[in-house]
Amino acid sequence: MNKKQIIKYIKGDMDTAEKRKAVAWIRKTPENQKIYNIIKAEYVASSFKDVPNNNNAFFFERLKNRIIKKKLNKLIYVSASVVILLSFLWSFEFNASTTDVIPQEIVETAAIKDSGAVSFITMRGDKKEIYLPDGSKIVLNADSELTYPKAFNDSIREVTLVGEAFFDIKRNVDKPFIVNTNSIKIRVLGTSFNVKSYSKDKKVETTLVSGKVEVLKDKETPLILAPSQKAVFYKKENKLEIEEVQSLDVVAWKDGTLIFDKTPLQEVVIDLERKYNTKIIINSKTLLNYEYTGTFDNLSIDEVLKLLTISSPIKYNIENEKIILE
């Protein structure tokens, strides 16, 4: 990546695919991480060139809005460009260990766009816990993106989801909560529910755990869900249906467990690929029609494959880092 692309990522001006490539590049080598840290420090420095001397409060507020960090401390950010930073960082020093290192165990990125929207992205093999400005809690599943405003100042609380997330929403009768997906909208006041809306999936699923939600499709009459009901929107057929489900099974993924009940193997494979960040190929026409029932309770991918061979007619081998099911 060149400097222009890195700055574009820092500013939050990339689309989802570009952000994922940027995160992957930063994580690839320590040298890439170092280059990213320095360029970000220079960018932040240039954005504060108009800060009045000794106006610490102004600088602090601007800094908070530019950089997402887990905490601010009182030591010098040594990886920054010293010449540029010394003009204003002498009064705000923070620990070099809290630079924007993207940890291996939590691969996500959060960018604040110029419009004031915050965007979180998780990559395959990861999930992220997020707290919204109103105190609502969201668990973002692997390979997903959540976008929301820094503050809910309007008459509604509105977020946009690509992928899967579990929502535990603070009740506010004066500000309904809206989840936008690429196909449907979900409207709630205060409740807990799960939304699965991956772009490449054939359907969008909304499962209610508690409370009440409305599922809206264009100008059609909203579908109202009761607990343990799932609204399924089939994209190709442009059809919205309600199914009875075990809602706790649907949301078990947030605790590391995958539960399948007569699920087409193709859908099982997609979920496994996202959770374990791997590539799985079904190399059998018979298996394309196979429906799998089983539970993977915080297993490694090796344990999953062994369980598949024991509990089903599936066999596997590994070729060029790809898992082939036969």
Side-chain angles (χ1 to χ4, degrees), residues 76-144:
I76 297 176
Y77 184 105
V78 294
S79 64
S81 174
V82 176
V83 175
I84 297 176
L85 289 181
L86 283 180
S87 64
F88 67 96
L89 281 185
W90 57 273
S91 61
F92 270 90
E93 301 176 352
F94 47 95
N95 198 319
S97 66
T98 61
T99 57
D100 290 340
V101 176
I102 302 178
Q104 297 290 329
E105 66 275 13
I106 305 177
V107 186
E108 42 80 17
T109 178
I112 299 179
K113 301 179 180 179
D114 292 339
S115 62
V118 180
S119 180
F120 274 92
I121 293 177
T122 53
M123 299 184 74
R124 290 193 172 199
D126 299 281
K127 58 179 182 285
K128 175 67 178 174
E129 214 172 79
I130 302 166
Y131 286 88
L132 300 183
D134 66 344
S136 296
K137 177 183 174 181
I138 295 177
V139 183
L140 192 63
N141 204 355
D143 197 23
S144 301

Side-chain angles (χ1 to χ4, degrees), residues 115-235:
S115 62
V118 180
S119 180
F120 274 92
I121 293 177
T122 53
M123 299 184 74
R124 290 193 172 199
D126 299 281
K127 58 179 182 285
K128 175 67 178 174
E129 214 172 79
I130 302 166
Y131 286 88
L132 300 183
D134 66 344
S136 296
K137 177 183 174 181
I138 295 177
V139 183
L140 192 63
N141 204 355
D143 197 23
S144 301
E145 179 176 13
L146 180 76
T147 303
Y148 60 91
K150 287 193 293 181
F152 293 122
N153 295 322
D154 298 326
S155 58
I156 60 174
R157 295 169 289 167
E158 195 164 14
V159 304
T160 299
L161 172 69
V162 178
E164 183 170 19
F166 173 78
F167 295 81
D168 189 2
I169 303 303
K170 293 285 186 180
R171 183 174 177 81
N172 186 339
V173 295
D174 298 320
K175 285 190 175 184
F177 191 92
I178 305 290
V179 180
N180 290 297
T181 73
N182 57 3
S183 303
I184 60 174
K185 287 186 177 184
I186 300 97
R187 181 181 183 274
V188 303
L189 294 177
T191 186
S192 57
F193 59 100
N194 193 83
V195 179
K196 188 175 185 181
S197 178
Y198 287 100
S199 300
K200 294 182 179 180
D201 286 5
K202 297 178 181 179
K203 56 189 178 181
V204 178
E205 302 176 356
T206 304
T207 305
L208 182 60
V209 178
S210 65
K212 183 176 75 173
V213 303
E214 295 179 345
V215 180
L216 301 93
K217 172 67 174 65
D218 300 328
K219 297 181 180 180
E220 298 176 10
T221 303
L223 285 180
I224 299 176
L225 295 185
S228 294
Q229 286 187 330
K230 176 170 70 174
V232 183
F233 175 70
Y234 296 91
K235 298 177 183 178

Side-chain angles (χ1 to χ4, degrees), residues 234-251:
Y234 296 91
K235 298 177 183 178
K236 185 177 180 180
E237 294 82 1
N238 194 32
K239 181 175 61 175
L240 190 60
E241 295 182 348
I242 292 181
E243 300 176 2
E244 301 292 329
V245 295
Q246 296 293 328
S247 58
L248 294 182
D249 288 353
V250 175
V251 302

